[in-house]
Amino acid sequence: MSLTLYGAILSPFVRKIRIQLAEQNIEYELVNQTPFMQPDWYYEISPLGRIPAIKDGDLSLADSSVIAQYLQETRGGIRLYGSTPAEAARVRWLEKYADYELAKPATFTAFFNRVVHRLMGKPCDEAAVKTALGSDLPPLLNYLEAQLGEKRYFLGDQLSMADIAVCSQLINLAHAGELIDEETWPALSSLLSRVTSRTSVSSLLPAEHRIVGTVNGASVAEG
Ligand SMILES: N[C@@H](CCC(=O)N[C@@H](CS)C(=O)NCC(=O)O)C(=O)O
């Protein structure tokens, strides 16, 4: 059945799904949909107007974690939610933590102000960004660092949606000009390098860098 993904490539939630689709070798068509000025028909697919959303034949689904679990259950491929109920619950918890907690300072404050607002010609609230980065973000990263410990990925040696969701937020933070400090958060920094080196991720980043580069006045060729 043909699969269509709706979204904009800089969204961390859309990126989660694109990484999963690449990791699981699932073919799809990407239809560009920005998270603003959504046409009326888009609300039929995504009732809150948010990205990502998918259409799989007659079925419409919104919300990245709902979509991710549906794709895992219907398309299979590598197990991104672990192999046991306990592993699946742990992945879902960390995915939720990334999507609802890490997203606030990383994407909705730093990335939106420094990248999205600038792309739209709106002012950047640098005071809000400074508070997000200085006060809100560090405790969240401390928690994730402790959860990772000495492991390569949150579940051990196996990539899961927890790694994808966390790194997707850290990529938006990097797009906002902030790399996490590798001395303070060495395990998370290594995780980010490990995940961004995977073809499923590295193949997506040049197109993202080309857009972000236009905001920072960098050469489009830098991608
Ligand atoms: N929990 C949702 C969050 C999706 C989300 O907030 N997407 C943003 C773009 S990054 C959006 O569509 N915002 C538009 C809006 O809220 O109207 C998911 O995981 O899909």
Side-chain angles (χ1 to χ4, degrees):
M1 213 178 316
S2 71
L3 184 71
T4 307
L5 171 67
Y6 298 84
I9 63 171
L10 291 181
S11 161
F13 309 103
V14 173
R15 188 183 306 109
K16 276 173 63 184
I17 301 303
R18 295 186 78 204
I19 295 170
Q20 175 183 21
L21 289 163
E23 287 286 346
Q24 296 183 323
N25 285 318
I26 302 170
E27 285 191 17
Y28 68 104
E29 180 195 1
L30 177 67
V31 172
N32 186 51
Q33 177 56 59
T34 57
F36 41 83
M37 292 193 301
Q38 300 88 331
D40 289 345
W41 60 261
Y42 185 64
Y43 288 84
E44 298 282 322
I45 301 169
S46 178
L48 297 173
R50 295 194 183 132
I51 55 170
I54 61 163
K55 255 183 103 59
D56 187 22
D58 291 337
L59 179 72
S60 302
L61 286 178
D63 192 282
S64 62
S65 54
V66 172
I67 295 168
Q69 287 170 50
Y70 168 78
L71 292 175
Q72 180 71 61
E73 283 164 19
T74 55
R75 303 301 206 278
I78 73 165
R79 287 168 179 263
L80 292 176
Y81 287 86
S83 314
T84 64
E87 282 186 351
R90 176 164 166 72
V91 171
R92 290 194 188 104
W93 162 249
L94 291 166
E95 181 182 12
K96 202 178 239 311
Y97 193 89
D99 290 358
Y100 290 90
E101 304 307 322
L102 199 52
K104 285 186 231 167
T107 293
F108 294 126
T109 308
F111 173 77
F112 266 64
N113 271 287
R114 288 194 180 160
V115 179
V116 179
H117 285 192
R118 285 182 179 153
L119 276 172
M120 296 174 76
K122 288 196 201 164
C124 165
D125 184 349
E126 196 51 34
V129 175
K130 289 268 181 304
T131 304
L133 297 176
S135 305
D136 304 340
L137 186 63
L140 301 174
L141 298 181
N142 291 345
Y143 173 77
L144 291 170
E145 181 78 13
Q147 291 300 308
L148 204 46
E150 303 288 311
K151 298 189 289 294
R152 284 166 51 79
Y153 296 107
F154 283 104
L155 286 186
D157 286 330
Q158 178 201 351
L159 178 81
S160 75
M161 186 47 78
D163 310 295
I164 295 173
V166 167
C167 288
S168 208
Q169 295 298 333
L170 297 180
I171 289 170
N172 280 72
L173 194 63
H175 285 340
E178 302 293 334
L179 274 181
I180 59 170
D181 178 27
E182 58 186 350
E183 292 197 359
T184 315
W185 299 290
L188 269 180
S189 298
S190 304
L191 177 75
L192 182 59
S193 308
R194 195 168 292 122
V195 168
T196 52
S197 306
R198 296 178 76 94
T199 311
S200 61
V201 185
S202 63
S203 61
L204 303 180
L205 295 180
E208 296 193 23
H209 287 147
R210 276 194 287 279
I211 302 174
V212 176
T214 61
V215 175
N216 298 329
S219 156
V220 166
E222 273 178 25

